[in-house]
Amino acid sequence: MSATSYDALIIGSGQAGNPLAYALAEAGHRVALIESAHLGGSCVNYGCAPTKIMLASAQRAHLVRTAGELGIQAPEPVVDFAAVVARKDRLTQNSRDGIERNLTTAHPNIRLVRGRARFAAPNTLHVDLNDAAGQEQLTAPLIFINTGTHAAVPLIAGLEASGYLTNDTLLLGLQQLPEHLIILGGSYIGVEFGQMFRRLGSRVTVIETSATIMDREDSDVSRPMQELLEAEGIEFVLEAEARHVSRNDEGVLTLTADTPGGERRIRGSHLLVATGRVPNTLDMGLELAGIETDEDGYILVDDDLRTPAKGVYALGDVKGGPQFTHITYDDYRIVRDQVLHGRARDYHQRPVPYVVFTEPQLGRIGLSKDQARKQKVPFRVSRLDASTIGRAVETGQTEGFVEVLVGDDDQLLGAAVLCEQGGEIMTMFQLAMAGNLRYQQLENLIIAHPTWAEVLNNAFQKLERG
Ligand SMILES: Cc1cc2nc3c(=O)[nH]c(=O)nc-3n(C[C@H](O)[C@H](O)[C@H](O)COP(=O)(O)OP(=O)(O)OC[C@H]3O[C@@H](n4cnc5c(N)ncnc54)[C@H](O)[C@@H]3O)c2cc1C
Ligand SMILES: NC(=O)c1ccc[n+]([C@@H]2O[C@H](COP(=O)([O-])OP(=O)(O)OC[C@H]3O[C@@H](n4cnc5c(N)ncnc54)[C@H](O)[C@@H]3O)[C@@H](O)[C@H]2O)c1
């Protein structure tokens, strides 16, 4: 089969692939972008956006349910789950359509190829076109791999036969609210989906192997998050080893797990597996191009996101490391600047902010206390209870805390903000870090009253050696 030549090939229409296609096309390169599924990748179709759209419905229901606390009497809200899902589907489709317009009509230098790509040789891809439309070979001196990840599914006896959901597939397409959702995995996906379904009206039980939920966080950050979620009626079973899953003739699912308190059998209607991610690198013929992976299948790259294969880069989740949309997007910037402008930037040096979109949110930037101790970075820490923030008292959102870490040079090392507007407050701390501000400059900043931002004045009040 003869191969069609391009200047650049991009595998995956994710958070790096789409903007990179456009930037390269703008610079005069002829680009083919190959996508096997929906345009937009996981963020648009089953990750960030659809979950936040449905979380917004869940949060609205909670607002109505708790309106009495502010003197507004409202009847128990009726959740029209099908309408919640329809709203998510509509907004998701709008995003896909927008991406399709950008890729197909906005630039004549971009060709969108619907199919699954794998390497046939160095700098050459074989594509099985979707809908049995045949095959193609494409070749280019530059190839960018942005193929992302899919849900990891642990080997548990009876799991396949009993049926389960992952965020990638069925969960966001459910038409009926689960009566009792069991979630395997108590990290970011587990807590966001847990609160979403609890507030929409499901019973929720989260099963986690670690001793704490979100175990990358300091335990005095994850514990308050757990307590907040427990107060809403979510049950957590920690240090649990799931052993067996079965489903009886009435459709009731039973998950059997070993726990420190002995064997537990948890019965539910649905099981969501949220136990991490696996890179989409299998069956991609990477070895034919000299591209290497680590033991988990993530593509190995150098500081410039280059693989050992000449002209081949890997961007986003598929290269391992923190898995966030804004990190994949920054990979795009790094590669764009290098390929088009000859400017290099080592991605190891960048900040990694993130937000867990529960209510209240957890916003995180920089070092945690555990990380600072492990890296032997001297620090002082101050934690301010959210109930002492004027704005929190006024709005009745007093749960959580704001915690800041300060180095010996008086500059911020990190922040953990578990409170209303946690993501936005964290981003203000990030900005201060980017500007190398000393904490005293934040303490003395004139900030409009009464805003959540005023916490910048007060967060450092209790600095103690950590
Ligand atoms: C439930 C959930 C919630 C999340 N929430 C957030 C959040 O709130 N904020 C945040 O920052 N991050 C969030 N994330 C993480 C975020 O979605 C990912 O980090 C990000 O989308 C990764 O983008 P990517 O471009 O690397 O990969 P992807 O978006 O996964 O794109 C990869 C694309 O490649 C395609 N592909 C794969 N193999 C091939 C092949 N062989 N040929 C052709 N095409 C192929 C796939 O179909 C896919 O479209 C969430 C993730 C999940 C699962
Ligand atoms: N708001 C956000 O930015 C956001 C939200 C959701 C997901 N994400 C991204 O998606 C990625 C995947 O999230 P995730 O929560 O699936 O994965 P994760 O890797 O963060 O956590 C997986 C959890 O499952 C547990 N686990 C593993 N095997 C288990 C088993 N057999 N039984 C019970 N528990 C088990 C682990 O101990 C861990 O706590 C994250 O790395 C994150 O970057 C981001």
Side-chain angles (χ1 to χ4, degrees):
M1 192 186 306
S2 68
T4 315
S5 290
Y6 289 87
D7 298 321
L9 302 175
I10 298 172
I11 318 175
S13 155
Q15 299 305 307
N18 299 331
L20 189 60
Y22 198 80
L24 290 167
E26 273 285 284
H29 292 62
R30 286 177 313 106
V31 184
L33 185 148
I34 307 121
E35 172 56 57
S36 56
H38 288 305
L39 297 179
S42 38
C43 183
V44 167
N45 294 292
Y46 48 77
C48 336
T51 55
K52 274 70 207 180
I53 291 167
M54 289 179 65
L55 268 165
S57 295
Q59 289 166 357
R60 193 64 65 86
H62 186 73
L63 206 63
V64 175
R65 214 170 272 136
T66 55
E69 292 170 11
L70 272 69
I72 309 298
Q73 301 308 327
E76 175 68 16
V78 177
V79 173
D80 180 348
F81 188 68
V84 171
V85 174
R87 173 174 180 268
K88 180 265 298 173
D89 287 343
R90 197 172 60 249
L91 296 177
T92 303
Q93 190 60 49
N94 285 349
S95 296
R96 283 182 203 145
D97 292 347
I99 295 168
E100 174 139 22
R101 266 195 309 277
N102 280 341
L103 289 177
T104 53
T105 55
H107 218 293
N109 282 350
I110 303 175
R111 179 182 163 219
L112 176 61
V113 181
R114 303 280 195 159
R116 176 160 292 278
R118 60 184 155 83
F119 281 85
N123 299 104
T124 303
L125 298 180
H126 175 99
V127 182
D128 291 312
L129 298 171
N130 289 353
D131 307 320
Q135 304 173 340
E136 270 197 50
Q137 292 231 345
L138 310 173
T139 183
L142 288 170
I143 299 185
F144 304 95
I145 308 172
N146 177 215
T147 50
T149 61
H150 60 274
V153 179
L155 279 174
I156 300 172
L159 180 62
E160 291 298 330
S162 306
Y164 61 90
L165 308 165
T166 69
N167 73 289
D168 300 4
T169 51
L170 300 167
L171 186 74
L172 293 165
L174 279 181
Q175 290 302 313
Q176 278 191 332
L177 187 67
E179 192 251 313
H180 182 176
L181 180 66
I182 301 171
I183 303 180
L184 199 62
S187 189
Y188 308 133
I189 291 185
V191 299
E192 286 185 358
F193 274 110
Q195 192 181 54
M196 175 201 303
F197 278 96
R198 180 67 194 141
R199 289 184 169 192
L200 290 173
S202 301
R203 242 186 97 186
V204 173
T205 306
V206 177
I207 318 278
E208 166 60 50
T209 45
S210 300
T212 56
I213 63 166
M214 305 189 312
D215 75 349
R216 291 187 203 96
E217 307 301 334
D218 289 333
S219 58
D220 62 358
V221 171
S222 54
R223 188 72 64 196
M225 170 72 94
Q226 183 183 330
E227 287 165 6
L228 285 167
L229 296 172
E230 282 171 341
E232 293 191 20
I234 298 176
E235 188 197 3
F236 290 91
V237 184
L238 302 180
E239 295 182 77
E241 287 292 336
R243 293 286 178 217
H244 187 259
V245 183
S246 62
R247 197 183 283 278
N248 69 15
D249 292 343
E250 281 81 51
V252 178
L253 186 136
T254 303
L255 185 144
T256 308
D258 292 340
T259 73
E263 186 182 275
R264 284 234 9 218
R265 285 164 185 237
I266 298 126
R267 290 186 178 76
S269 58
H270 296 74
L271 175 64
L272 165 65
V273 175
T275 53
R277 313 284 302 167
V278 182
N280 292 327
T281 48
L282 213 71
D283 302 330
M284 277 196 64
L286 297 181
E287 61 292 347
L288 298 176
I291 298 162
E292 294 165 8
T293 57
D294 69 12
E295 57 191 18
D296 296 320
Y298 289 100
I299 295 178
L300 294 172
V301 290
D302 66 11
D303 294 345
D304 299 324
L305 299 175
R306 261 191 275 249
T307 73
K310 192 167 183 297
V312 181
Y313 294 72
L315 306 89
D317 285 5
V318 75
K319 69 166 199 319
Q323 298 183 341
F324 299 106
T325 283
H326 41 283
I327 294 301
T328 298
Y329 188 78
D330 193 56
D331 286 355
Y332 145 69
R333 292 190 194 111
I334 287 175
V335 168
R336 173 200 63 194
D337 290 350
Q338 208 180 120
V339 171
L340 295 179
H341 310 299
R343 284 199 302 264
R345 171 163 58 96
D346 180 350
Y347 71 93
H348 293 104
Q349 306 306 323
R350 65 185 166 197
V352 181
Y354 57 91
V355 179
V356 181
F357 286 87
T358 45
E359 203 174 55
Q361 297 173 354
L362 171 65
R364 280 276 294 110
I365 179 69
L367 293 179
S368 67
K369 298 189 289 298
D370 283 347
Q371 287 167 335
R373 285 182 194 119
K374 213 172 278 169
Q375 295 173 26
K376 300 199 183 328
V377 178
F379 69 93
R380 284 163 290 163
V381 59
S382 171
R383 180 177 285 208
L384 188 77
D385 211 83
S387 61
T388 65
I389 302 171
R391 187 75 191 141
V393 175
E394 288 153 10
T395 60
Q397 294 159 310
T398 52
E399 288 165 328
F401 60 84
V402 178
E403 183 180 88
V404 282
L405 270 66
V406 170
D408 284 349
D409 58 1
D410 288 348
Q411 292 185 18
L412 263 110
L413 293 170
V417 186
L418 177 65
C419 79
E420 174 64 21
Q421 304 292 334
E424 314 299 326
I425 296 170
M426 174 278 290
T427 305
M428 291 188 266
F429 287 125
Q430 184 190 349
L431 207 59
M433 290 166 80
N436 298 319
L437 299 189
R438 289 178 305 108
Y439 79 86
Q440 294 90 342
Q441 290 172 278
L442 298 183
E443 281 191 318
N444 293 320
L445 198 68
I446 299 173
I447 299 172
H449 175 77
T451 56
W452 286 99
E454 276 182 303
V455 75
L456 268 65
N457 285 162
N458 304 328
F460 304 91
Q461 276 170 3
K462 297 182 182 166
L463 277 181
E464 284 175 7
R465 186 57 60 189

